[in-house]
Amino acid sequence: MKKKKNWVLEIVPYIIVIVVVLLIKKYLVTPIRVNGSSMEDTLYNNDYMILNEINHKIKGIKRFDIVVIKSDGEYLIKRVIGLPGEKIRYEDNKLYINGKYVEEKFKHKQTMDIDEIEVPKGEYYVLGDNRVNSTDSRIIGTIPLKEIKGTTSFTVYPFDRFGKKE
């Protein structure tokens, strides 16, 4: 009887570790793969990143965060440009929020002019960094908060691209 008890006690820590890892993967962080070129030159096709599914629920979503959206069963990775209630527009490749110029400190391709749009409450305006080749809010409209699965900024693979992305 003692032998059976020792065996059970030996595997309990392994079971606990497996359960904790599965819970973390399910509710906190998940690997996500970049699909396509819409975020170049920041992210590239087949980059693997860590999706943080809890941070945006605690800290909220900020302008220029990179978010993962689930839209029509598909995952999209885009950058937040407009926050709920803001009026945004692009003119001569420059971003204006509520009529004031806002500097974008990340690299992106040329943005064609976008007439002023008001972002509805509870929704976000998102663009890909590769503005000439991106399915984003210009096409699919603003994104409700419930469709945002989390934020991402850390590439884990390929190893030569390992690290935080802005």
Side-chain angles (χ1 to χ4, degrees), residues 29-76:
V29 293
T30 305
I32 187 104
R33 184 175 58 90
V34 176
N35 185 12
S37 62
S38 72
M39 284 297 292
E40 289 179 1
D41 290 329
T42 307
L43 307 174
Y44 290 88
N45 189 43
N46 293 324
D47 280 358
Y48 279 85
M49 306 188 73
I50 298 296
L51 169 61
N52 184 325
E53 298 182 54
I54 195 84
N55 192 46
H56 75 288
K57 294 174 182 172
I58 296 169
K59 294 183 177 181
I61 296 172
K62 297 175 198 70
R63 183 178 338 282
F64 305 137
D65 280 354
I66 298 173
V67 295
V68 176
I69 301 155
K70 188 168 186 184
S71 177
D72 295 328
E74 179 179 4
Y75 288 98
L76 305 172

Side-chain angles (χ1 to χ4, degrees), residues 62-150:
K62 297 175 198 70
R63 183 178 338 282
F64 305 137
D65 280 354
I66 298 173
V67 295
V68 176
I69 301 155
K70 188 168 186 184
S71 177
D72 295 328
E74 179 179 4
Y75 288 98
L76 305 172
I77 300 176
K78 304 295 175 193
R79 189 178 299 275
V80 173
I81 301 298
L83 302 173
E86 292 182 334
K87 293 180 181 174
I88 70 146
R89 71 180 164 89
Y90 272 90
E91 188 176 310
D92 298 325
N93 203 38
K94 293 180 181 165
L95 172 63
Y96 293 88
I97 304 288
N98 298 326
K100 295 180 182 168
Y101 169 70
V102 174
E103 184 179 358
E104 297 172 286
K105 295 182 180 185
F106 57 92
K107 289 171 59 174
H108 66 78
K109 304 251 178 12
Q110 178 73 27
T111 309
M112 295 179 67
D113 288 355
I114 298 173
D115 292 336
E116 187 170 87
I117 179 171
E118 184 168 352
V119 181
K121 298 283 186 213
E123 299 194 10
Y124 295 84
Y125 194 89
V126 298
L127 294 175
D129 289 355
N130 184 357
R131 308 284 166 85
V132 295
N133 186 24
S134 178
T135 301
D136 49 38
S137 287
R138 296 171 294 177
I139 296 167
I140 61 176
T142 55
I143 305 298
L145 178 60
K146 69 181 180 189
E147 289 184 14
I148 296 177
K149 296 301 164 200

Side-chain angles (χ1 to χ4, degrees), residues 15-31:
I15 292 171
I16 291 171
V17 167
I18 290 169
V19 168
V20 168
V21 167
L22 290 174
L23 289 172
I24 287 171
K25 185 185 176 308
K26 174 75 175 157
Y27 295 105
L28 297 178
V29 293
T30 305

